[in-house]
Amino acid sequence: MRRSYVILGIIAVLVFIGLNSYYIVDEREKALRLWFGEVTAEIGEPGLYFKVPVLHEIAKYDDRILPLDTEPLEVTPADDRRLVVDAFARWRIEDATQFRRAVGASGISGARSRLERILNAELREVLGSVPSDAVLSVDRVSLMNQIRDQSRDEAAALGIRVIDVRIKRADLPDQNLEATFERMRAERQREAADEIARGNEAAQRLRAQADRTVVETTSEAQREAEIIRGEADAQRNAIYAEAFGRDPEFFAFYRSMSAYERSIRGGNSTLVISPNSEFFNYLKSDTSAQIARSAGTPNDTRVETETDGSADAGPVIEVPGAGLGDEDATATDSAGGDDATQEQPADG
């Protein structure tokens, strides 16, 4: 029974030694073989390797490009305008032995903390020597290259190669950001007010020019209209004067008839005028009939002046056939007697 325990113990020891006597290095890794903490070999090629169990320690490190995102850092450029800079880096373990001696057993995590301190120091140094406008312009590329080169020299002592450094964000601190926005808004409002003032000035000039053009055009049109109207009045007066000069009596008769036509219209026209007024000269005498006969126009209207014994009796205008049908009008004309026959105009 005791022998079986011994055999089982020996088998367990042999299995343990067999399992711990080899190790595999992946193509994405670098390995160090340590003898009591001292580096005895660096394995960079992938494959299967053997070691002495318990006495040999194997340390493996990632051989790929590793990222590093730094915490936001507040820097003060040369113009004393503080900026919050957020950067990141890409790095790789170049010398595994040197890396082990520099960072010890902390490995990748210890290397990240030390590399972040190096990047922060270089960021403060490089960005603190230039104005903030350079950080916010296209000159940022040259600044990032300068930070990369200086960080690479510092990180070489750790067995690390810094491949690239980039600035993700460079903003003002939160306490200064609102004040900066206020200044920007005030500047934009001032520019907008200037533009509005210039626009109003230009609009006022255009309105004044348009008003002046309107006044000039209207005045010119009114002047030409008055000239044309004056010429037309002159021609009209000349025609009237010529007609008056040819036959003054007929001219007076025509004017009176026109006045009668304009004043006596409709069925309820009422004139309150003295019967002795000159307005009724052609209604209370036979002058109209004489003028009508001399002008060769038919005299279909018999004008009589009737009086009822009073001094205010007015003229009576009688129109043949007024208020009668066609047969009554014909009978009236036939019964007119000698007076109606005498008032007919002569042919020719």
Side-chain angles (χ1 to χ4, degrees):
M1 187 69 178
R2 182 179 299 176
R3 182 179 297 178
S4 61
Y5 287 146
V6 173
I7 294 173
L8 290 176
I10 294 172
I11 293 174
V13 170
L14 292 176
V15 172
F16 176 78
I17 293 173
L19 293 176
N20 288 278
S21 62
Y22 71 93
Y23 59 94
I24 298 174
V25 177
D26 192 83
E27 64 270 10
R28 296 169 295 180
E29 297 176 333
K30 285 183 178 182
L32 293 177
R33 190 171 61 198
L34 307 176
W35 179 268
F36 294 105
E38 185 68 24
V39 178
T40 59
E42 179 178 347
I43 297 96
E45 295 296 328
L48 178 65
Y49 296 91
F50 294 95
K51 66 176 181 175
V52 178
V54 180
L55 298 180
H56 281 157
E57 179 185 358
I58 305 301
K60 296 180 180 180
Y61 302 105
D62 200 331
D63 194 31
R64 295 174 295 179
I65 296 176
L66 303 176
L68 175 63
D69 291 330
T70 64
E71 294 294 329
L73 178 67
E74 187 172 315
V75 299
T76 304
D79 55 0
D80 294 333
R81 294 180 61 186
R82 292 185 300 171
L83 295 175
V84 177
V85 178
D86 191 3
F88 72 93
R90 295 291 181 266
W91 60 284
R92 185 178 184 181
I93 299 175
E94 193 76 13
D95 188 347
T97 303
Q98 182 68 24
F99 181 79
R100 175 72 182 189
R101 291 171 181 172
V103 301
S106 60
I108 299 295
S109 60
R112 283 200 176 107
S113 63
R114 296 185 62 175
L115 182 59
E116 184 175 0
R117 290 195 294 270
I118 293 173
L119 287 176
N120 290 339
E122 297 302 329
L123 284 169
R124 285 194 175 95
E125 180 181 355
V126 174
L127 299 182
S129 62
V130 297
S132 58
D133 294 339
V135 182
L136 303 175
S137 65
V138 294
D139 296 336
R140 181 189 294 189
V141 177
S142 62
L143 296 177
M144 290 187 297
N145 293 334
Q146 184 178 353
I147 295 170
R148 179 199 61 193
D149 296 339
Q150 295 182 8
S151 300
R152 183 178 295 173
D153 296 337
E154 293 289 334
L158 303 177
I160 294 173
R161 175 179 175 81
V162 178
I163 298 175
D164 195 10
V165 176
R166 286 288 179 266
I167 297 176
K168 294 190 296 184
R169 181 174 63 93
D171 294 333
L172 294 172
D174 294 337
Q175 59 270 25
N176 298 339
L177 198 58
E178 186 62 30
T180 303
F181 286 158
E182 287 296 333
R183 288 196 299 269
M184 294 173 63
R185 280 193 287 266
E187 181 66 20
R188 296 300 180 269
Q189 289 174 358
R190 185 188 62 80
E191 294 178 358
D194 292 342
E195 292 294 334
I196 292 173
R198 285 193 289 269
N200 291 334
E201 181 182 359
Q204 190 65 27
R205 286 200 302 268
L206 291 176
R207 291 192 191 97
Q209 184 66 28
D211 293 340
R212 179 180 177 181
T213 303
V214 169
V215 172
E216 291 178 352
T217 304
T218 305
S219 300
E220 182 66 21
Q222 290 178 352
R223 186 182 66 84
E224 293 180 357
E226 291 297 334
I227 293 174
I228 295 173
R229 190 178 293 109
E231 294 176 353
D233 290 341
Q235 293 179 2
R236 183 191 62 182
N237 294 333
I239 294 173
Y240 279 142
E242 183 181 0
F244 183 77
R246 289 182 180 179
D247 194 343
E249 186 175 0
F250 177 76
F251 182 78
F253 172 76
Y254 174 76
R255 294 297 299 271
S256 297
M257 293 298 104
S258 299
Y260 295 157
E261 181 181 3
R262 289 192 299 269
S263 60
I264 304 175
R265 289 184 178 181
N268 58 351
S269 297
T270 302
L271 299 177
V272 182
I273 303 175
S274 174
N276 298 324
S277 174
E278 294 182 358
F279 184 75
F280 298 111
N281 286 341
Y282 291 97
L283 296 178
K284 61 185 178 181
S285 66
D286 59 351
T287 308
S288 57
Q290 295 175 0
I291 294 176
R293 285 193 299 270
S294 64
T297 58
N299 185 12
D300 294 336
T301 303
R302 184 174 73 251
V303 180
E304 294 181 356
T305 302
E306 297 182 358
T307 59
D308 55 354
S310 62
D312 296 333
V316 177
I317 303 174
E318 295 183 1
V319 180
L324 302 176
D326 294 339
E327 297 178 358
D328 295 338
T330 303
T332 303
D333 292 340
S334 301
D338 297 336
D339 295 336
T341 305
Q342 292 176 359
E343 290 180 0
Q344 296 295 327
D347 295 335

